Amino acid sequence: MSFTCPPTNSPFAASISLVDLVWGYCGILSLGHGAFFALGGYAMGMYLMRQIGTRGVYADPVLPDFMVFLNWKELPWFWQGFDMAWYAFLMVVLVPGVIAFLFGWLSFRSRVTGVYLSIITQALTYALLLAFFRNDMGFGGNNGLTDFKDILGFPIQAPGTRAVLFAASALMLALGFVVASAVVRSKLGKVLVAIRDAESRTGFIGYRVEHYKLFVWTLSAVMAGIAGALYVPQVGIINPSEFDPAASIEAVIWVAVGGRGTLIGPLIGAVAVNFGKTWFTGVLPEVWLYALGTLFVVVTLFLPRGIVGLWGRVVTRRAAPAKEVDGSGRQAGEAA
Amino acid sequence: MSFFRLFTIFFALIAGFQPALASRVADTDLSSRIAALGVGGFDDLEKAIANLAASGDDRVPAILDRLGNGELTVRKADGLVFFADKVGTDFRLTDPVTGVDAGLAPKATVEKVKVNNRIRRAIASAVGALTLMSPDPAVRRTAAEAVMKSADVTALPVLERAIAAETVADVRAAMVAARATALLASDAPEADKVTAIAAIADIGSRDALGFLSGYTSTDGAVGDAARKAVAAIESRLMLWDIGQNLWYGLSLGSVLLLAAIGLAITFGVMGVINMAHGEMVMLGAYATFTVQETIRTSWPQLFDYSLLIALPVAFLTAALAGILIERLVIRWLYGRPLETLLATWGVSLILQQAVRSLYGANNREVGNPSWMSGSFALGEIQITWTRLWIILFALAVFLALIALLKRTRLGLEMRAVTQNRQMAAAVGIRTPLVDALIFGLGSGVAGLAGVALSQIDNVSPNLGRGYIIDSFMVVVFGGVGNLWGTLVGALTLGVANKMLEPYAGAVLGKIILLLAIILFIQKRPRGLFALKGRAVEA
């Protein structure tokens, strides 16, 4: 059973390495990246819904089952075009991207930082959660979108399709990794770290801080959207619970456990935490929340650089017993 | 109700009984009227019921009620009528007038007074007519209001008589209104109906509106008058609706204020994001539950005071939990707000699970003390006592905190630490102690909020989760480090939410508000009332 977990979560893990990109490298703690993940997932889900065609319970050639159930007569405008794969895939990128761009453009321009930004990202995903729960929004209400039949003409349940999807996820993960490390290694990446460590100072030197933040923020949202799109056909459902602020925070802890500010860390964290979750919820379900809660506390208190940082400390201990320095938040002067 | 009312009046007319406001007749008179119930067939019984009702005696409804239940019997030996309670195979007989026990009677010696549906209707109508003529003004008023709702044409003659006999002004007004509705439904001349519409329009209530809107599509003068009256009532009610929504908004705002004000203290003074704040509220609610359970089992006579006793308990429980969290977790993370956020989120998970293990995952029932139950009407605005008390409580907590901050030594030190931590430490304020006390205070206030919320929300381990995002919105909107900002923020958001609700629906209204706050933060990143000075410009 535990093996079903890593494959389906690998796209999620990929998106998480992007959370790390904005948090670990840029100092923006997003508590709403689950929203971009879910938006990408919904775009994919809409395409898959349109592919069902007449095989639905009500056998309507155009309308998905839940719309027939709600007595809708025609497809809402925002569902138009999702029968075409290229359009749907474009939307997977565009919808989270545009929303993240607008949100980031407004926030970074007016210098909303730190916990304020974290709180309003949480408010954003919460607002979307409430919105997608509404039946008359046209996204299937609390049931979400499910009962998918095939993708690009291949049956979605077939082992071959699943293998391809899994391979695509792995590929996407690798690609995300390559993009992220390219960003981190570039001059851009250095500026991001500078912003994380001393935002005002970086601005005074002459960098347009908000542009850098906006770029990395939007990039991470787009990749989260792609991850969501790969996740949905594998689990066979997308529903509003993906927008739950708790899910986004839980994802952040994967980064923290693995070690933020490293690109491999979030991967390790995601696999480790999910393995623990699968094991605990199977063996000792009551203990899982205790364990997860304790994990949050212990990692932030004792492992500010996560598993990767712990490994690094073991390696470098012989060389020099350097004091652990944590960059984020500890800026010059008062950290309010 | 209208069915009941119709027959009330109908049979009262057949009986032609006189309005009798005297509450009692002589026992012998009543006894002889009751004895008549036991003689003859259903026609005779019906007349006897009308005759009994005409006595106007206040014991009659109870007797008729028992007759309807088939609990009246005739003793075969002397033909007298008694209440009969079955004891084994025998019946215990009681005199209906005096209540004197007449001994046990074997089943064979008595005969039940049989009733059929016609008799039941006669009973119902007799009881109903008695209420319109009842000596108790409140009963008469209820009866009149019932006639008004049913707009019963056959009620007119009895109403006329009741109005003539009525001495209490507002009961009379209710009867006049009832007569107007009945008149409108009858085939009276048009001019009378127009007058009746004017009389109903004067009442201006929702019932009146509902009734009149049934006549707006009528032709001629009646229709015109009805349409005009409906428009007048609607515009009047719209103002009341605004008032009602304002009240709901204030109520929601006070709940938000209670939930957020503790957060405003910890967030404002220490810059600490406490994601476990909602769980402090939850702890307060569970403390209330525990106190109430203890009182229920050990000192039930104290139940009405259970909430007052729960206040200090909830405050101390939550404050202690808060201080523990501060000492064990948060103090290691000062200056790292994002890590604090994650660690306290972990604490909130642990607390939720701990409460779930201790109390179970289901909702727990916390009762309303008698002084908090019920409601009253202010014009067309319904005000429940619970909500009123919560608003007053929220304001009391707010004022107490303001006083604490402005008038005490601790408050002075807290303000100093808020404005400039390093300088405060430099002049000798023990900032770690102040931090722990502030955190205890903020958490304790959350515990107090839990006591209030236990009255209006489900007490479950997830109680706090529902409030945490709203609380953050309030604090961020109002401006950090400023209690007045929190007050304004909470009330604004509460009222805005409830004002949006009628137009956008509850969920959409909330979404609009969340997006509005997100946009507002862009304009004023530090909230409505921002602290000024170098300290906040890190």
Side-chain angles (χ1 to χ4, degrees):
Chain A
M1 277 308 284
S2 64
F3 253 84
T4 59
C5 187
T8 49
N9 269 302
S10 59
F12 214 130
S15 80
I16 292 322
S17 67
L18 276 303
V19 169
D20 185 41
L21 196 61
V22 288
W23 182 32
Y25 285 94
C26 197
I28 308 167
L29 176 55
S30 164
L31 298 182
H33 252 57
F36 303 125
F37 181 83
L39 284 172
Y42 264 98
M44 182 56 132
M46 286 159 82
Y47 163 70
L48 294 173
M49 283 308 262
R50 296 292 303 270
Q51 295 304 302
I52 296 175
T54 54
R55 286 166 294 175
V57 178
Y58 297 108
D60 192 298
V62 178
L63 294 187
D65 278 346
F66 73 88
M67 289 190 194
V68 182
F69 187 76
L70 289 174
N71 260 327
W72 290 15
K73 294 292 168 238
E74 56 185 47
L75 214 56
W77 60 268
F78 49 84
W79 273 76
Q80 302 292 345
F82 272 95
D83 50 334
M84 295 170 284
W86 67 267
Y87 179 80
F89 294 165
L90 189 67
M91 285 299 134
V92 163
V93 174
L94 274 187
V95 173
V98 168
I99 290 184
F101 182 84
L102 285 177
F103 183 88
W105 185 66
L106 286 169
S107 305
F108 300 138
R109 196 186 46 140
S110 49
R111 303 215 187 122
V112 180
T113 52
V115 290
Y116 285 88
L117 190 76
S118 301
I119 288 172
I120 63 171
T121 54
Q122 194 175 34
L124 176 73
T125 188
Y126 185 58
L128 286 168
L129 170 75
L130 292 175
F132 275 76
F133 260 122
R134 284 164 49 91
N135 270 329
D136 36 4
M137 273 288 287
F139 295 103
N142 60 340
N143 295 321
L145 310 174
T146 187
D147 280 340
F148 307 133
K149 303 292 183 208
D150 49 29
I151 179 168
L152 296 170
F154 301 99
I156 207 159
Q157 296 287 354
T161 319
R162 294 186 68 87
V164 170
L165 280 171
F166 180 55
S169 302
L171 199 66
M172 142 77 198
L173 185 56
L175 192 71
F177 199 79
V178 169
V179 170
S181 52
V183 167
V184 168
R185 278 166 217 275
S186 66
K187 192 181 156 212
L188 173 71
K190 305 285 181 228
V191 179
L192 290 179
V193 174
I195 291 172
R196 178 192 75 189
D197 289 343
E199 182 167 339
S200 313
R201 205 176 296 178
T202 315
F204 291 143
I205 292 171
Y207 290 101
R208 296 292 296 266
V209 168
E210 62 271 28
H211 291 178
Y212 287 91
K213 284 170 126 178
L214 186 57
F215 169 76
V216 74
W217 169 258
T218 310
L219 176 70
S220 75
V222 164
M223 298 191 82
I226 296 174
L230 284 164
Y231 172 80
V232 168
Q234 295 190 59
V235 293
I237 186 169
I238 174 83
N239 62 32
S241 66
E242 301 294 341
F243 285 107
D244 190 348
S248 289
I249 295 192
E250 207 178 310
V252 170
I253 200 64
W254 302 349
V255 179
V257 166
R260 64 206 182 86
T262 64
L263 286 176
I264 192 75
L267 267 181
I268 298 173
V271 171
V273 175
N274 277 295
F275 185 79
K277 184 175 190 168
T278 317
W279 188 78
F280 267 117
T281 46
V283 182
L284 294 163
E286 292 88 43
V287 181
W288 166 240
L289 274 184
Y290 286 123
L292 185 63
T294 315
L295 192 66
F296 271 96
V297 177
V298 168
V299 166
T300 45
L301 281 184
F302 303 110
L303 290 174
R305 291 196 166 268
I307 297 173
V308 173
L310 192 68
W311 175 246
R313 199 148 56 170
V314 171
V315 170
T316 54
R317 176 156 292 174
R318 273 167 299 159
K323 205 176 168 217
E324 187 76 26
V325 177
D326 185 84
S328 92
R330 195 165 282 179
Q331 303 175 0
E334 179 85 354
Chain B
M1 205 55 200
S2 81
F3 177 82
F4 168 80
R5 214 30 74 179
L6 182 85
F7 283 96
T8 300
I9 307 307
F10 181 58
F11 283 100
L13 289 179
I14 291 177
F17 73 86
Q18 298 301 308
L21 293 175
S23 65
R24 294 260 164 141
V25 295
D27 283 0
T28 48
D29 182 16
L30 192 60
S31 293
S32 67
R33 290 178 199 239
I34 291 171
L37 294 173
V39 186
F42 285 131
D43 285 346
D44 300 310
L45 181 55
E46 205 174 291
K47 283 194 189 105
I49 290 169
N51 187 35
L52 182 61
S55 73
D57 194 287
D58 60 6
R59 287 165 289 188
V60 171
I63 296 169
L64 288 178
D65 197 39
R66 296 202 65 166
L67 171 64
N69 292 338
E71 292 170 344
L72 249 57
T73 60
V74 182
R75 187 155 69 193
K76 284 177 184 168
D78 51 13
L80 287 179
V81 177
F82 293 96
F83 290 153
D85 296 296
K86 207 168 168 111
V87 180
T89 57
D90 299 338
F91 288 97
R92 174 164 298 284
L93 302 183
T94 324
D95 189 291
V97 178
T98 58
V100 172
D101 187 0
L104 280 176
K107 198 176 174 189
T109 65
V110 295
E111 192 181 2
K112 194 168 94 169
V113 179
K114 291 192 185 62
V115 289
N116 59 10
N117 276 346
R118 200 180 83 188
I119 296 301
R120 283 194 195 93
R121 284 197 293 268
I123 292 169
S125 68
V127 172
L130 274 174
T131 57
L132 205 54
M133 298 291 180
S134 160
D136 181 357
V139 175
R140 294 202 297 277
R141 194 196 170 100
T142 323
E145 278 163 2
V147 175
M148 178 168 171
K149 280 205 179 101
S150 64
D152 186 350
V153 179
T154 53
L156 275 171
V158 178
L159 266 173
E160 295 288 359
R161 234 173 295 157
I163 289 168
E166 187 56 65
T167 49
V168 183
D170 61 333
V171 178
R172 198 182 137 87
M175 286 178 175
V176 171
R179 180 179 59 179
T181 57
L183 198 67
L184 207 49
S186 73
D187 47 8
E190 207 165 57
D192 285 359
K193 289 190 171 181
V194 173
T195 326
I197 287 176
I200 300 169
D202 281 346
I203 308 166
S205 70
R206 267 172 245 279
D207 283 342
L209 179 66
F211 181 78
L212 283 179
S213 50
Y215 289 89
T216 47
S217 51
T218 328
D219 293 327
V222 175
D224 286 343
R227 279 187 288 275
K228 218 178 282 176
V230 163
I233 297 178
E234 270 176 349
S235 64
R236 198 178 89 88
L237 282 181
M238 205 165 77
L239 284 177
W240 281 115
D241 273 345
I242 293 175
Q244 180 81 67
N245 285 330
L246 198 66
W247 167 256
Y248 285 146
L250 285 180
S251 166
L252 177 67
S254 67
V255 169
L256 288 177
L257 177 65
L258 274 174
I261 198 160
L263 199 66
I265 296 172
T266 50
F267 189 20
V269 178
M270 299 155 74
V272 159
I273 292 278
N274 182 13
M275 290 302 253
H277 184 78
E279 276 55 48
M280 300 293 131
V281 177
M282 186 238 340
L283 282 186
Y286 272 93
T288 313
F289 168 72
T290 312
V291 166
Q292 221 175 45
E293 281 304 289
T294 319
I295 284 176
R296 235 191 269 261
T297 50
S298 308
W299 302 281
Q301 69 276 17
L302 285 179
F303 185 77
D304 268 354
Y305 304 98
S306 57
L307 287 192
L308 294 180
I309 300 168
L311 284 179
V313 177
F315 181 88
L316 289 178
T317 312
L320 208 66
I323 290 177
L324 273 178
I325 295 172
E326 201 274 339
R327 286 289 90 185
L328 292 177
V329 179
I330 292 172
R331 74 169 163 139
W332 306 106
L333 297 170
Y334 282 131
R336 295 194 289 165
L338 299 180
E339 275 92 336
T340 317
L341 191 156
L342 289 181
T344 49
W345 177 265
V347 171
S348 84
L349 292 181
I350 295 172
L351 284 175
Q352 276 181 33
Q353 189 58 35
V355 167
R356 202 171 284 129
S357 308
L358 276 174
Y359 289 92
N362 296 332
N363 291 345
R364 288 304 185 152
E365 175 74 25
V366 175
N368 282 113
S370 58
W371 46 272
M372 276 183 86
S373 337
S375 65
F376 63 94
L378 194 76
E380 294 290 322
I381 302 178
Q382 280 295 321
I383 292 178
T384 54
W385 280 105
T386 327
R387 295 283 180 171
L388 184 63
W389 277 112
I390 288 178
I391 291 182
L392 293 177
F393 179 64
L395 287 179
V397 169
F398 176 78
L399 292 177
L401 277 176
I402 289 280
L404 182 82
L405 280 179
K406 299 278 181 196
R407 296 264 177 270
T408 65
R409 173 85 197 175
L410 176 66
L412 184 69
E413 292 184 353
M414 276 165 63
R415 281 182 293 139
V417 173
T418 313
Q419 282 166 13
N420 196 323
R421 178 174 293 271
Q422 269 117 10
M423 275 310 295
V427 298
I429 294 172
R430 292 164 63 191
T431 53
L433 181 70
V434 172
D435 284 339
L437 287 178
I438 292 171
F439 211 80
L441 180 67
S443 304
V445 171
L448 293 181
V451 179
L453 289 182
S454 73
Q455 293 299 306
I456 53 169
D457 205 340
N458 297 327
V459 178
S460 77
N462 298 327
L463 173 72
R465 236 346 116 66
Y467 288 96
I468 188 72
I469 291 183
D470 289 339
S471 305
F472 272 122
M473 290 298 124
V474 167
V475 175
V476 167
F477 176 65
V480 171
N482 188 327
L483 289 190
W484 288 101
T486 311
L487 177 74
V488 174
L491 294 184
T492 312
L493 293 188
V495 171
N497 197 343
K498 289 296 171 185
M499 288 289 174
L500 275 174
E501 234 168 63
Y503 307 102
V507 180
L508 198 59
K510 187 150 191 189
I511 296 169
I512 293 173
L513 215 55
L514 280 172
L515 295 180
I517 295 172
I518 291 177
L519 288 178
F520 175 83
I521 296 299
Q522 320 295 341
K523 266 282 163 219
R524 300 197 60 140
R526 300 264 164 205
L528 268 182
F529 301 94
L531 272 188
K532 298 214 159 52
R534 290 202 299 175
V536 292
E537 284 167 3

